[in-house]
Amino acid sequence: MKKVLLLCAAAMLSLGTISAQGWAWGPKVGATFATVNGIPDAKVLPGVSAGLFFESVACNWFVIESDLLFSMQGFKIDNSEGDASVRLNYISMPVLGKYYVIDGLNLQMGASFDYLIHTGAKIDGKKVDADGAFNRFNIQFLAGLAYDFDFGMVLEGRYRYGLTNLAPEVSDVYSGMLQISVGWRF
C-alpha cells in the first residue's frame, strides 16, 4: 500500500517538473463498460466516470496527463445457476502519456491507480455483503485513442486491463474496462 501511494506522489511531482510550456485542466465525464477476466461467465456491467484531468505539455507532440476520477466498475454473471452483479466504485488516478500523431489525434498509454471506496453486490436480486471480498487497491494498464479539438473539447476511448488480482481469495481474476469520455480543456 505504501508503495502505491509513493508511486502516486512521484507521478504527481513529475507532472509539476515537466511544465515547460504550461498546464491545462478540465472536467471529464463518460461511460464505463467493465467486466473481469478470469471468471468464465462474467459479462459487462455499464457505469459512469466523472472527474477532472490535468495535463502538462512536454513538447509539441507529447503531453503528460493525470486524471482524478470517480469510476464505476464491476461485472455481472447470468447463467443457469442464477444471476449476480458486483458494483465496484473507485477513486481512480490514471497517469499517462499522450503522443500526438496528427493535429489533435493522440495515442495514450499509462497506468491507473484505483482505490476501492464502495462495494455493492446482488445475487438473484438480493443484496449481499461483499465488504472485504475485493482488494482495496487495483492497478490497471491503459491504452487509448483520443482527439483534442482546437476549441477545447476532448473525446477519448481507453481500454484498461488490471495488473493486480481483484480479489484476495480468488487467483487470476483481473479487471477489464472500456471507458469512453468527453471533456473540456481550459
Side-chain angles (χ1 to χ4, degrees):
M1 180 168 117
K2 290 180 183 179
K3 290 180 183 178
V4 171
L5 292 176
L6 185 60
L7 188 59
C8 291
M12 291 305 287
L13 286 175
S14 69
L15 285 174
T17 61
I18 296 176
S19 63
Q21 297 180 11
W23 283 87
W25 67 277
K28 180 185 289 189
V29 296
T32 61
F33 303 93
T35 189
V36 291
N37 301 299
I39 297 177
D41 293 331
K43 294 184 175 32
V44 171
L45 184 65
V48 297
S49 66
L52 296 172
F53 70 92
F54 305 90
E55 61 184 31
S56 177
V57 177
C59 62
N60 62 352
W61 53 268
F62 189 75
V63 170
I64 303 286
E65 180 179 316
S66 181
D67 302 349
L68 187 59
L69 304 170
F70 168 78
S71 177
M72 296 172 80
Q73 300 179 35
F75 61 96
K76 63 182 176 179
I77 299 172
D78 295 319
N79 60 25
S80 60
E81 298 173 13
D83 65 320
S85 66
V86 175
R87 173 68 66 195
L88 304 170
N89 295 333
Y90 288 96
I91 296 296
S92 295
M93 190 178 110
V95 178
L96 54 118
K98 296 168 63 171
Y99 172 72
Y100 284 83
V101 182
I102 295 174
D103 296 325
L105 182 66
N106 62 82
L107 302 173
Q108 303 178 347
M109 189 174 293
S112 180
F113 306 93
D114 301 347
Y115 181 75
L116 183 63
I117 58 172
H118 180 262
T119 303
K122 289 183 181 179
I123 297 177
D124 292 328
K126 296 179 184 173
K127 289 184 180 181
V128 296
D129 183 19
D131 287 338
F134 296 92
N135 289 324
R136 284 277 177 211
F137 290 99
N138 188 21
I139 299 173
Q140 298 173 324
F141 167 78
L142 69 86
L145 181 66
Y147 194 86
D148 300 351
F149 293 92
D150 290 336
F151 57 89
M153 189 167 71
V154 177
L155 295 176
E156 66 185 13
R158 296 177 180 166
Y159 182 75
R160 295 166 46 164
Y161 184 83
L163 301 174
T164 55
N165 201 27
L166 203 56
E169 302 295 325
V170 182
S171 62
D172 298 328
V173 175
Y174 302 97
S175 60
M177 180 176 71
L178 176 64
Q179 179 180 5
I180 300 169
S181 302
V182 62
W184 193 269
R185 176 182 294 103
F186 294 104

